[in-house]
Amino acid sequence: MGLIVQKFGGTSVGSVERILNVANRVIQEKENGHDIVVVVSAMGKTTDQLVSLAGEITSKPSKREMDMLLTTGEQVTISLLTMALQERGYEAVSYTGGQAGILTESRHGNARITNIEDDRISNDLAHGRIVVAAGFQGKDENGEITTLGRGGSDTTAVALAAALKADKCDIYTDVTGVYTTDPRYIQGARKLAGISYDEMLELANLGAGVLHPRAVEFAKNYQVALEVRSSMHDERGTLIEEESTLEENLIVKGIAFEDQVTRVSVCGLPNDLSTLSTIFTTLAENGVNVDIIIQSVTDKENASISFSVKTNDLEETIDVLETHKGKIKFKKIESEKGLSKVSIVGSGMVSNPGVAAGMFSVLAKEGIQVKMVSTSEIKVSTVVEQEDMVRAVEALHEAFELSGQKAPVR
Amino acid sequence: MGLIVQKFGGTSVGSVERILNVANRVIQEKENGHDIVVVVSAMGKTTDQLVSLAGEITSKPSKREMDMLLTTGEQVTISLLTMALQERGYEAVSYTGGQAGILTESRHGNARITNIEDDRISNDLAHGRIVVAAGFQGKDENGEITTLGRGGSDTTAVALAAALKADKCDIYTDVTGVYTTDPRYIQGARKLAGISYDEMLELANLGAGVLHPRAVEFAKNYQVALEVRSSMHDERGTLIEEESTLEENLIVKGIAFEDQVTRVSVCGLPNDLSTLSTIFTTLAENGVNVDIIIQSVTDKENASISFSVKTNDLEETIDVLETHKGKIKFKKIESEKGLSKVSIVGSGMVSNPGVAAGMFSVLAKEGIQVKMVSTSEIKVSTVVEQEDMVRAVEALHEAFELSGQKAPVR
């Protein structure tokens, strides 16, 4: 017996039928003897429809009014789900973000949670009630309605779990868990029984939308045990928690990859202290997102800096650099499209210096050229030709023993 | 220059196009130099759609969750209208009922307003902002979302006008004002320039939905000047205010009528003090709404009581009486269907004792039999055969000089 926070996304509550299905899930855990707080998103396409209504009125709606508009979405879901639970004979109560005590900064559209006032929910739980809270939303100190931005409902669930000291936060989604790599592309991709917060953060772009990185960070900071699981199928998902508590200790946990990568090289730069800062400050100020960065000094006077961007951003990147040529003082720009990024992720590699080397050997054996390399404590990223991407992932998946006939049993 | 509260109902904000039209109305008065508070309802059929969603889940939704669900309707409208005003370059801000400071009893579905905290709106007005508030909704002292029940948005508008000491409260609707009688049935029905609160209350069933009696009572208690006017046509509507301020002083202001009336007579009752109370308490406790009541004593031992009910309620009325026959102690029940009620309304009749007599003469001259009569200080109601209803109204409309080629000019 404990407290479980359950989060159901927009697809899981996309129709009355699915809301009734969610009610079943909630009741199942309640009947297992747990206290339950449920966090829900807006129904399916509701948010899109509201955005479109606003779009008929103005092309630049104020963020405050968009928050006012969009938060109605979750408010509809919480009331309907609560009715469904009451209809089944359970005591339940719905709360908007503000009523649930989610206090945020006074910033609309992308506010951060500053505090959780959990008295009200704690009192309901003490009386055996199921609490249904609206995800994605909160209020500021003036009672203004705010939203948490992308991944907001995940963050609400994790924040409530942290504040209420929940035993667990279950993130119900349309996939069954976190996989060693993307099962849509790689045969043999296997669902992981467990993964650490840091690994999950590095793998965030795997199976996009499974869990927002911000929620993972929040969970890490407050040591909230997460489980990503399916709202449709009744099976164990993937546990996300601290390293030490994980049973499965593979050196490499998963392989992330993405295509549409372009390498940009800025050559003939002055070899002084401010060069790096000037280039990347300029790019950031102009909204260009840069991924891998590599600096090399070819002689005493000249330096080259290479970085990767999304191929879609290439044109803008070059525009920004050319516009600020006087300040950056480069001689020329080179670029190479048609690349991909392939990364191996695993906290085991910190204590295993040979992991990067092992990755390069595998790729070399496959005849795959590595264009760029970047390493962190738990990740090694390589940039390769786009046409080599899937082959690289398959070879690495096999070499690091990630493939399996069946998911490991907990 | 003053403060105007404008209220627009669901039809007036039923589409994006109509919301843009409402924005024009608001801007027009703002440009006339007034401070503006706008109160809006949910868009057109939104409330019905939400009720239907709830109906798919449960046949007996809790009132609290219905309030949670339905209040999203107005919240969508306030944000869209505010965006429309901002798009036109005006400073505007939207508030839910609770944010607007509408405090209510802790009762869901039909809460009464207990207080208005107007600091926030006053501050916005002082800064030149247009305030857009959600009608129909409020919050209780625990921050629970409540609704005001039928006519709620009218009540919100009047309550805000009272609290803010507005110069005027304009109720925009789909008719152009209050008429001497129902123009859909009676040719020559004429829009009134002005009418008193009491007269409006008595005429409330004329042009159903023009203005909820509860809002009129509120306006009377706080002396808020109302104007009922069209959201589509740019013309003066009907002013509703205190007697003394009215320019037009007809003895009879309007003629109300309704069909589907049935007379019920309970005969052979014991002639004692508790008989009246027993009958009508029993009917009320069983949800039967009774309109006109007439008591007559035929001899020392026996009394008869007649009353009118809606024809639809006849069967239930008889059931209730028969079930409680032992307690009420009547000998028999008689009923007569196919009747109508025709009433003349006007505060002038208090000081004109001949008005009722005049009414009876007109009906007699038309050969119309009066089945029941009931009088109040400003109203005389008669029950006549349904087939005589329109003829009775036409004759009275003519006799009391209500017909006019054109609406009186203010």
Side-chain angles (χ1 to χ4, degrees):
Chain A
M1 253 197 70
L3 169 60
I4 301 181
V5 175
Q6 301 182 310
K7 182 258 171 178
F8 295 89
T11 313
S12 304
V13 294
S15 65
V16 165
E17 194 190 342
R18 289 193 177 177
I19 288 174
L20 297 176
N21 177 52
V22 166
N24 287 340
R25 287 269 154 174
V26 173
I27 288 169
Q28 193 177 314
E29 292 288 26
K30 179 73 180 166
E31 287 298 320
N32 286 338
H34 300 295
D35 287 335
I36 309 287
V37 174
V38 195
V39 174
V40 288
S41 304
M43 288 172 73
K45 299 287 167 208
T46 304
T47 304
D48 292 348
Q49 286 163 359
L50 293 171
V51 168
S52 148
L53 262 182
E56 288 181 51
I57 286 177
T58 172
S59 57
K60 41 176 194 337
S62 79
K63 287 183 177 175
R64 181 187 186 279
E65 298 307 326
M66 278 307 280
D67 281 357
M68 184 65 88
L69 181 65
L70 295 184
T71 50
T72 61
E74 295 86 38
Q75 196 173 325
V76 168
T77 317
I78 56 172
S79 56
L80 294 179
L81 176 57
T82 303
M83 287 177 195
L85 292 168
Q86 291 172 341
E87 173 72 13
R88 294 279 303 273
Y90 291 82
E91 268 204 85
V93 61
S94 69
Y95 291 129
T96 64
Q99 289 178 331
I102 311 281
L103 303 182
T104 75
E105 305 170 306
S106 296
R107 186 189 349 180
H108 289 288
N110 193 22
R112 273 179 305 194
I113 295 175
T114 53
N115 196 14
I116 309 258
E117 287 174 351
D118 61 3
D119 315 9
R120 199 160 176 179
I121 292 183
S122 295
N123 180 53
D124 287 318
L125 294 175
H127 285 82
R129 290 176 205 125
I130 298 168
V131 173
V132 181
F136 178 67
Q137 52 181 255
K139 68 172 179 193
D140 74 4
E141 57 187 358
N142 301 313
E144 290 278 292
I145 298 173
T146 54
T147 61
L148 309 181
R150 286 174 62 88
S153 290
D154 290 343
T155 308
T156 301
V158 173
L160 283 175
L164 296 163
K165 298 184 176 44
D167 296 276
K168 209 164 153 237
C169 180
D170 286 346
I171 308 286
Y172 286 87
T173 173
D174 48 3
V175 297
T176 54
V178 180
Y179 279 71
T180 50
T181 192
D182 193 332
R184 288 172 301 182
Y185 296 90
I186 308 298
Q187 225 184 348
R190 186 171 56 84
K191 186 171 72 179
L192 289 162
I195 187 172
S196 74
Y197 299 117
D198 288 337
E199 289 169 334
M200 186 66 208
L201 282 169
E202 294 284 12
L203 283 171
N205 67 343
L206 258 191
V210 167
L211 191 51
H212 199 269
R214 191 171 159 195
V216 179
E217 278 198 46
F218 209 111
K220 181 188 173 185
N221 291 340
Y222 291 91
Q223 296 289 304
V224 174
L226 296 175
E227 182 172 343
V228 172
R229 54 194 305 188
S230 165
S231 59
M232 309 297 165
H233 306 285
D234 199 4
E235 56 180 80
R236 302 294 329 172
T238 300
L239 267 181
I240 305 165
E241 49 195 344
E242 265 311 320
E243 191 59 34
S244 58
T245 62
L246 295 172
E247 297 169 14
E248 196 179 28
N249 251 318
L250 294 167
I251 293 170
V252 173
K253 255 321 164 27
I255 303 179
F257 55 92
E258 59 179 289
D259 55 9
Q260 299 298 327
V261 171
T262 287
R263 176 183 60 81
V264 177
S265 296
V266 187
C267 309
L269 289 159
N271 185 17
D272 64 40
L273 288 173
S274 62
T275 299
L276 258 179
S277 150
T278 307
I279 288 189
F280 293 105
T281 305
T282 304
L283 288 171
E285 280 172 3
N286 288 277
V288 175
N289 275 318
V290 165
D291 187 7
I292 295 177
I293 297 172
I294 291 166
Q295 186 184 21
S296 60
V297 181
T298 42
D299 57 46
K300 275 189 182 156
E301 273 114 56
N302 283 290
S304 285
I305 288 172
S306 295
F307 53 86
S308 66
V309 294
K310 293 223 176 272
T311 301
N312 276 340
D313 294 341
L314 175 61
E315 208 173 322
E316 202 193 340
T317 306
I318 292 176
D319 273 0
V320 170
L321 291 171
E322 292 289 357
T323 306
H324 298 87
K325 188 167 186 173
K327 191 169 64 178
I328 302 174
K329 301 184 194 108
F330 59 87
K331 292 210 177 93
K332 64 171 177 179
I333 299 171
E334 288 170 1
S335 67
E336 182 180 11
K337 292 199 218 181
L339 302 177
S340 291
K341 187 170 75 160
V342 174
S343 310
I344 57 173
V345 174
S347 39
M349 62 179 76
V350 182
S351 49
N352 257 293
V355 176
M359 181 183 194
F360 303 149
S361 305
V362 171
L363 295 176
K365 214 160 71 185
E366 290 288 323
I368 295 169
Q369 195 195 351
V370 174
K371 306 267 186 176
M372 296 173 87
V373 174
S374 161
T375 60
S376 79
E377 294 207 333
I378 65 166
K379 181 165 94 163
V380 180
S381 295
T382 58
V383 171
V384 301
E385 294 279 357
Q386 196 153 307
E387 62 184 35
D388 294 333
M389 179 179 78
V390 171
R391 203 154 46 91
V393 176
E394 280 171 344
L396 292 166
H397 201 261
E398 188 64 34
F400 286 106
E401 297 175 351
L402 294 173
S403 298
Q405 295 302 91
K406 50 178 185 178
V409 182
R410 275 181 55 80
Chain B
M1 251 197 70
L3 169 60
I4 301 181
V5 175
Q6 301 182 310
K7 182 259 171 178
F8 295 89
T11 314
S12 304
V13 294
S15 64
V16 164
E17 194 191 341
R18 290 194 175 175
I19 287 175
L20 297 176
N21 178 51
V22 166
N24 287 340
R25 287 270 154 173
V26 173
I27 288 169
Q28 194 177 313
E29 292 289 27
K30 178 74 181 165
E31 287 298 320
N32 287 339
H34 300 294
D35 287 334
I36 309 287
V37 174
V38 194
V39 174
V40 288
S41 304
M43 290 173 72
K45 299 287 167 210
T46 304
T47 303
D48 292 346
Q49 286 163 359
L50 292 172
V51 168
S52 149
L53 261 184
E56 288 181 51
I57 287 176
T58 171
S59 56
K60 40 176 196 334
S62 78
K63 287 183 176 175
R64 179 187 187 279
E65 298 307 325
M66 279 309 279
D67 281 357
M68 183 65 87
L69 181 65
L70 296 183
T71 50
T72 61
E74 297 85 38
Q75 195 172 326
V76 168
T77 317
I78 57 172
S79 56
L80 294 178
L81 176 57
T82 303
M83 287 177 195
L85 293 167
Q86 290 172 340
E87 173 72 13
R88 295 279 302 273
Y90 291 82
E91 268 204 84
V93 61
S94 69
Y95 291 129
T96 63
Q99 289 178 330
I102 312 281
L103 302 182
T104 75
E105 304 170 306
S106 295
R107 185 186 354 177
H108 290 288
N110 193 22
R112 273 179 305 194
I113 296 174
T114 53
N115 195 16
I116 309 260
E117 287 174 350
D118 62 2
D119 314 10
R120 198 160 177 179
I121 293 182
S122 296
N123 179 53
D124 287 317
L125 294 174
H127 285 82
R129 291 176 204 125
I130 299 168
V131 173
V132 181
F136 178 66
Q137 53 180 254
K139 68 172 178 193
D140 74 4
E141 56 187 358
N142 300 314
E144 290 278 291
I145 298 173
T146 54
T147 62
L148 309 180
R150 287 175 62 89
S153 290
D154 289 343
T155 308
T156 301
V158 173
L160 283 174
L164 296 164
K165 299 184 175 42
D167 297 277
K168 208 166 154 236
C169 181
D170 286 347
I171 307 287
Y172 285 88
T173 174
D174 48 1
V175 299
T176 54
V178 180
Y179 280 71
T180 51
T181 192
D182 193 332
R184 289 172 300 180
Y185 296 89
I186 309 297
Q187 224 183 350
R190 186 171 55 83
K191 186 170 72 180
L192 290 161
I195 187 170
S196 74
Y197 299 117
D198 287 337
E199 288 167 335
M200 186 65 209
L201 281 170
E202 294 285 14
L203 282 171
N205 69 342
L206 257 192
V210 166
L211 192 50
H212 199 270
R214 190 171 159 196
V216 179
E217 277 198 49
F218 209 112
K220 182 186 174 188
N221 291 341
Y222 291 91
Q223 296 289 304
V224 174
L226 296 175
E227 182 172 342
V228 172
R229 54 194 305 189
S230 165
S231 59
M232 309 297 167
H233 306 284
D234 200 3
E235 56 181 79
R236 304 288 336 168
T238 300
L239 266 181
I240 304 165
E241 50 195 343
E242 265 311 320
E243 191 60 35
S244 57
T245 62
L246 295 171
E247 297 170 14
E248 196 179 27
N249 251 318
L250 295 166
I251 293 170
V252 173
K253 254 323 165 25
I255 302 178
F257 55 93
E258 59 179 289
D259 55 9
Q260 300 300 327
V261 171
T262 287
R263 175 182 60 80
V264 178
S265 297
V266 187
C267 309
L269 288 158
N271 185 19
D272 63 41
L273 288 173
S274 62
T275 300
L276 257 180
S277 150
T278 306
I279 288 188
F280 293 105
T281 306
T282 304
L283 289 171
E285 280 171 0
N286 288 277
V288 176
N289 276 318
V290 165
D291 187 8
I292 296 177
I293 297 171
I294 291 166
Q295 185 184 22
S296 59
V297 180
T298 42
D299 58 48
K300 273 186 185 159
E301 274 114 57
N302 284 290
S304 286
I305 288 172
S306 295
F307 53 86
S308 67
V309 294
K310 293 223 176 274
T311 301
N312 276 342
D313 295 340
L314 175 60
E315 208 172 323
E316 201 192 338
T317 306
I318 293 177
D319 273 0
V320 170
L321 291 172
E322 291 290 356
T323 306
H324 297 87
K325 189 167 185 173
K327 190 168 65 179
I328 303 174
K329 301 181 196 114
F330 58 88
K331 292 211 178 92
K332 65 173 175 174
I333 300 171
E334 288 170 358
S335 66
E336 182 179 13
K337 293 199 219 181
L339 303 177
S340 291
K341 187 171 75 160
V342 174
S343 310
I344 57 174
V345 173
S347 39
M349 62 181 74
V350 181
S351 49
N352 256 292
V355 175
M359 182 183 192
F360 303 148
S361 305
V362 170
L363 295 176
K365 212 160 72 185
E366 290 288 323
I368 294 169
Q369 195 197 351
V370 175
K371 306 265 184 176
M372 297 172 86
V373 174
S374 162
T375 60
S376 80
E377 295 206 332
I378 66 168
K379 180 166 96 165
V380 180
S381 295
T382 58
V383 171
V384 301
E385 294 277 357
Q386 195 153 307
E387 62 183 35
D388 293 332
M389 179 179 79
V390 171
R391 202 154 47 90
V393 176
E394 280 170 346
L396 293 165
H397 201 261
E398 189 63 35
F400 287 106
E401 296 175 352
L402 293 172
S403 298
Q405 295 302 92
K406 50 177 187 180
V409 181
R410 276 181 53 79

